[in-house]
Amino acid sequence: MPILVQKFGGTSVRDAVCIRRVAKIAIDAQKNGYEVVVVVSAMGDTTDKLIELAREVTNKPDPREYDLLLSTGEQISIPLVAMAIHSLGAKAISQTGLQVGILTEDRHGKARITEVKTEKIKKCLSSGNIVVVAGFQGISEITGEITTLGRGGSDTTAMALAVALGAERCDIYTDVEGVFTTDPAIVRDASKLKKISYEEMLELASLGAQVLHPRSVEIAKNFNMPLRVRSSFKPQDEGTLVQGVDEMELSNPVSGVALDESQARIAIMGVPDKPGIAAIVFNSLAKKNISVDMIVQSTSHDGVNEIAFTVDKDTIDDAVPITQEIAKEIGANKVTTETSIAKVSIVGAGMIGRPGIAGTMFKALADSGVNIHMISTSEIKVSCVIDAKDGEKAVKAIHKVFELEKLAKETQKV
Ligand code: ADP
Ligand code: ASP
Ligand code: MG
């Protein structure tokens, strides 16, 4: 029998009514001839509440204890979903990441899955169960300690399971009807995309579109796993299909706009202009496991320049002291930090070979009075760092200038 993996996010399991809805969707899939694996997130905003609880106790929670705490959210939702399935007359069994054998790197807070054991799930499936697996958690392949995969990581659990089990497809059920041209919570007339390529989806997710965890898209792309994003509140709607780029017709230069409010900007002023300085700065940050995103170096004046870069806000407490140390070492003047920034990006495989796309984006920002602090581009994206207060205004202006509200009507013919 073909295997189907279905993942349900926090809003889809926020209360008993929603949990029963999820149970019915899983049972319907089983009735349609699938062996079904369900991956669930913590109920509603449980994870946020657990984080708040930890913060009330300490500013610097121990990473092992923090992961153990956060993993409890999913441990509540899985038996509840299994019980709801039982109450509707079908067989189900819940499993934590530890019970299944979801192995990860030995790293807390943002571990990557390294291996998924399938024996136990297969055994449970073959005795007629719907298997309900806790998302977002695994165990260190070295120590056996509980790890978590980073916020939104249940999508990645689902995709890793789909690949390991050789599933026919992975359906990500959420609170919107698919992938839209931008966050529908910001732009009300954003268009739902019928399909989008893995490449574009990976960029959108990495650039802040919360709807899919970036690592889940990476796994789907690497293993060519068909993936649908759909609504648990309208399960009959087919949602958005995420697929390989060769199968797409690319008509529009821009497929989506993303907003990321999770980064901060660090600048080193008065940096001596000589070879090897950038290598010292970024290698030192990398050694401390701090990921740097955008980097801009100004042109040199009087033998000095400025190096500015962005990091995740949640690494800033580690990144700033290291940068200050490096600044001293290389003889730079000072380090400044700006946390009130946002990154707005456009993504589209159709922009390759079409000049003027970035210019159109910059003009839309200028016409709205939005100042650009940093710019970075790749083949299929353009990103600008702007003031945090301008984030939503910028998304609306860019969405409008590329007429993305019309995209649905043009592409829905397929
Ligand atoms: P879940 O709890 O189901 O994992 P998330 O909150 O992580 O759901 O992701 C769904 C949310 O992502 C939507 O409610 C929407 O506000 C947001 N979102 C951001 N960008 C997009 C986009 N381009 N398309 C659809 N949703 C988006
Ligand atoms: N519960 C986790 C979070 O809120 C994981 C997830 O929902 O995907 O981030
Ligand atoms: Mg999510």
Side-chain angles (χ1 to χ4, degrees):
M1 255 197 277
I3 296 176
L4 185 65
V5 177
Q6 303 179 319
K7 179 259 169 178
F8 297 91
T11 26
S12 302
V13 292
R14 70 174 167 227
D15 56 24
V17 175
C18 290
I19 287 177
R20 278 197 288 272
R21 190 181 293 122
V22 164
K24 185 166 181 314
I25 294 172
I27 293 172
D28 284 348
Q30 195 183 42
K31 284 185 182 150
N32 283 331
Y34 287 101
E35 288 188 323
V36 182
V37 176
V38 171
V39 174
V40 269
S41 291
M43 293 171 71
D45 57 0
T46 302
T47 309
D48 294 330
K49 293 225 169 91
L50 293 169
I51 290 171
E52 256 174 60
L53 267 178
R55 294 241 164 92
E56 279 171 27
V57 174
T58 169
N59 288 338
K60 244 187 161 350
D62 177 78
R64 175 197 182 270
E65 306 304 335
Y66 193 64
D67 268 358
L68 195 54
L69 175 71
L70 296 202
S71 70
T72 60
E74 274 71 13
Q75 211 163 315
I76 296 172
S77 48
I78 51 167
L80 290 171
V81 171
M83 288 176 206
I85 296 173
H86 299 160
S87 75
L88 295 174
K91 283 179 80 177
I93 182 164
S94 63
Q95 298 282 333
T96 64
L98 171 75
Q99 286 172 310
V100 169
I102 296 179
L103 308 188
T104 72
E105 307 167 322
D106 186 34
R107 174 178 175 187
H108 288 291
K110 240 182 202 167
R112 284 161 75 101
I113 295 176
T114 50
E115 191 186 341
V116 178
K117 305 270 185 208
T118 55
E119 304 79 39
K120 196 158 181 201
I121 296 186
K122 282 187 177 153
K123 208 165 149 210
C124 296
L125 286 172
S126 61
S127 44
N129 284 293
I130 292 172
V131 185
V132 187
V133 181
F136 177 57
Q137 56 180 262
I139 53 165
S140 157
E141 62 184 351
I142 294 171
T143 61
E145 295 288 352
I146 289 182
T147 54
T148 61
L149 312 180
R151 297 303 308 267
S154 297
D155 299 332
T156 297
T157 305
M159 212 58 65
L161 276 169
V163 168
L165 292 163
E168 185 179 290
R169 198 175 70 234
C170 184
D171 283 345
I172 305 283
Y173 285 89
T174 182
D175 56 356
V176 288
E177 282 150 48
V179 179
F180 285 71
T181 45
T182 194
D183 188 345
I186 299 177
V187 178
R188 276 173 72 212
D189 60 357
S191 310
K192 190 186 89 187
L193 299 165
K194 265 219 136 176
K195 30 189 198 178
I196 184 166
S197 65
Y198 290 127
E199 287 76 5
E200 290 169 298
M201 192 64 240
L202 185 54
E203 287 284 8
L204 277 177
S206 308
L207 293 166
Q210 202 190 334
V211 65
L212 285 174
H213 193 236
R215 180 76 187 128
S216 70
V217 188
E218 207 182 339
I219 295 174
K221 174 174 174 277
N222 289 348
F223 293 90
N224 218 8
M225 173 57 62
L227 144 71
R228 271 189 187 283
V229 177
R230 54 206 306 183
S231 164
S232 63
F233 301 90
K234 277 197 188 168
Q236 65 290 350
D237 192 304
E238 293 227 302
T240 301
L241 179 65
V242 186
Q243 62 179 12
V245 75
D246 351 326
E247 298 147 61
M248 306 268 311
E249 279 169 43
L250 297 169
S251 53
N252 220 58
V254 176
S255 298
V257 186
L259 180 66
D260 186 348
E261 293 174 315
S262 70
Q263 294 194 341
R265 178 176 183 270
I266 299 177
I268 316 177
M269 326 287 271
V271 179
D273 188 24
K274 55 181 187 200
I277 294 286
I280 295 175
V281 173
F282 297 108
N283 285 331
S284 309
L285 289 162
K287 268 193 208 137
K288 301 277 173 179
N289 242 334
I290 294 166
S291 305
V292 170
D293 180 26
M294 274 196 202
I295 301 174
V296 172
Q297 179 176 315
S298 67
T299 47
S300 156
H301 283 289
D302 306 324
V304 291
N305 56 36
E306 179 191 318
I307 298 180
F309 54 92
T310 61
V311 294
D312 272 354
K313 267 184 199 152
D314 57 13
T315 62
I316 193 106
D317 288 346
D318 295 325
V320 171
I322 297 170
T323 311
Q324 278 164 339
E325 249 174 63
I326 305 166
K328 228 179 173 180
E329 198 182 302
I330 60 179
N333 283 350
K334 63 171 179 177
V335 173
T336 63
T337 311
E338 179 54 78
T339 50
S340 298
I341 60 160
K343 185 170 70 176
V344 62
S345 309
I346 53 171
V347 170
M351 70 173 75
I352 297 171
R354 287 195 213 190
I357 304 298
T360 306
M361 175 183 184
F362 303 153
K363 173 104 184 8
L365 292 176
D367 290 347
S368 311
V370 175
N371 193 25
I372 303 172
H373 300 299
M374 295 166 99
I375 297 171
S376 92
T377 61
S378 79
E379 249 190 337
I380 65 165
K381 70 133 207 227
V382 183
S383 297
C384 299
V385 169
I386 57 176
D387 290 339
K389 66 171 175 42
D390 292 331
E392 295 204 357
K393 179 162 80 172
V395 170
K396 285 181 181 145
I398 295 167
H399 197 270
K400 192 149 181 246
V401 80
F402 289 108
E403 300 187 318
L404 296 181
E405 70 286 349
K406 294 186 187 158
L407 200 60
K409 290 171 205 100
E410 283 166 21
T411 57
Q412 300 299 313
K413 289 177 252 157
V414 274

